[in-house]
Amino acid sequence: MKKTDNNLTILRTMFVVSLVISNVVTGKLFYTGIELFGDIITLPGAVVCYAITFLMTDVIGEIWGKKEANQTVKYGFIGQILATLLIILTRYIPAADESMQDAYIRLLGQNYIFVAGSLIAYWASQTWDVYIFHMIRNKYLSKSGASIKGRWIWNNGSTITSQIIDTVLFIGISFGVGFGWFFDKTMWPALTAMMIGQYIFKFVLALLDTPFFIVMTRSREY
C-alpha cells in the first residue's frame, strides 16, 4: 500500500466504521460451545469487527508513523461518542410501532456502564497498541542486521497485548462492576471464563490478521 493521503483516508474510514459497527452489534451474544470453568464461553457479535480496528492502526503506524496512528485513535474515540449519542437520541423519538421500539431498545438500548466500559477499554487498549507497536519496532530495527521483514513481530506483539487490556477492562467494568460480579464470589468463575474465553478468540484473530498486515505493508515506497 502506497503512502498517499487517499489510502490513509480509506484506512481511517475502515477503522471508524468497524469501531462504530462493533458497538452496534455487540448486543448480539453467541455461544461457542466451548466450556471453561463450568460455563459455556459466550462472545459478543463485535469480536470480529473490533479486531479490524487494531489491524488498521497497525498498518497506519507502519506506513504513516506513530503520530498518524494516534490521531486515528482520537478520531475513533470522537466517532464512538457521536454514534452513542445518536443511538440514544433516536431511542427517544416516538416510534410508529410499539414492537419496533421494543426491538430497538433490546438491540441498541445503551446500558451506561457498558458504554463507560467500552470507552475506557477502547482508549486504553488502542493507545497501548500504538505505543507498544512502535516501541517494539524501534527496538527491533535498532539491532544490527535487523530487517523490516520482521514486522510481524511488532504487529502481533502490540495487538495480542492490547487485546488483554481491552478484554479485562471491558468485561471487568461492564460485568464485574455493572452486574456486581466482582462482589459475588459465586460469579467469579463465570467472570474469569468470560475474560479468558474472549481473549483466546481475540488472540486467534490477532494471529489471523498477520497475513493481511504483511500484504498491506509490503510496499517499499515509504
Side-chain angles (χ1 to χ4, degrees):
M1 177 172 281
K2 294 182 179 180
K3 187 179 180 180
T4 65
D5 291 341
N6 186 55
N7 283 338
L8 178 58
T9 299
I10 291 173
L11 292 177
R12 281 179 166 169
T13 300
M14 293 175 65
F15 175 89
V16 175
V17 169
S18 298
L19 178 62
V20 171
I21 292 299
S22 71
N23 288 329
V24 172
V25 302
T26 195
K28 180 176 181 177
L29 303 177
F30 64 93
Y31 290 112
T32 62
I34 302 173
E35 187 173 318
L36 187 63
F37 302 131
D39 289 281
I40 300 297
I41 297 175
T42 304
L43 298 173
V47 287
V48 176
C49 296
Y50 195 60
I52 295 174
T53 64
F54 289 96
L55 173 61
M56 294 300 102
T57 50
D58 283 357
V59 173
I60 291 172
E62 180 65 30
I63 299 177
W64 283 270
K66 184 177 181 180
K67 181 180 178 180
E68 294 294 349
N70 275 323
Q71 195 68 37
T72 301
V73 172
K74 293 178 182 178
Y75 291 157
F77 189 75
I78 295 171
Q80 193 173 18
I81 292 177
L82 177 60
T84 300
L85 292 175
L86 291 174
I87 289 172
I88 293 174
L89 175 64
T90 306
R91 172 179 178 173
Y92 293 101
I93 296 176
D97 182 81
E98 189 64 31
S99 61
M100 184 187 299
Q101 178 71 2
D102 292 339
Y104 184 91
I105 294 175
R106 179 180 292 274
L107 182 62
L108 297 175
Q110 299 291 304
N111 182 312
Y112 297 109
I113 192 67
F114 273 63
V115 172
S118 176
L119 290 173
I120 293 172
Y122 165 80
W123 187 258
S125 63
Q126 293 285 356
T127 301
W128 171 262
D129 180 66
V130 174
Y131 166 76
I132 202 68
F133 178 94
H134 290 278
M135 188 191 79
I136 296 175
R137 184 181 190 277
N138 294 338
K139 185 171 292 187
Y140 181 88
L141 292 178
S142 67
K143 296 179 181 179
S144 177
S147 169
I148 195 71
K149 291 182 179 179
R151 60 190 181 277
W152 64 270
I153 297 174
W154 49 87
N155 166 236
N156 283 314
S158 61
T159 302
I160 287 171
T161 54
S162 299
Q163 294 286 25
I164 295 176
I165 296 172
D166 180 70
T167 303
V168 171
L169 284 179
F170 177 70
I171 295 177
I173 294 172
S174 301
F175 295 90
V177 177
F179 284 8
W181 290 6
F182 272 146
F183 316 106
D184 182 357
K185 289 185 178 181
T186 63
M187 295 304 299
W188 288 3
L191 189 65
T192 303
M194 185 177 289
M195 287 183 179
I196 295 176
Q198 288 198 22
Y199 178 69
I200 291 174
F201 193 85
K202 292 176 180 178
F203 180 88
V204 173
L205 286 177
L207 296 180
L208 291 176
D209 84 10
T210 304
F212 295 97
F213 174 78
I214 297 298
V215 170
M216 295 174 76
T217 59
R218 73 183 184 278
S219 174
R220 302 303 299 172
E221 299 182 40
Y222 62 87

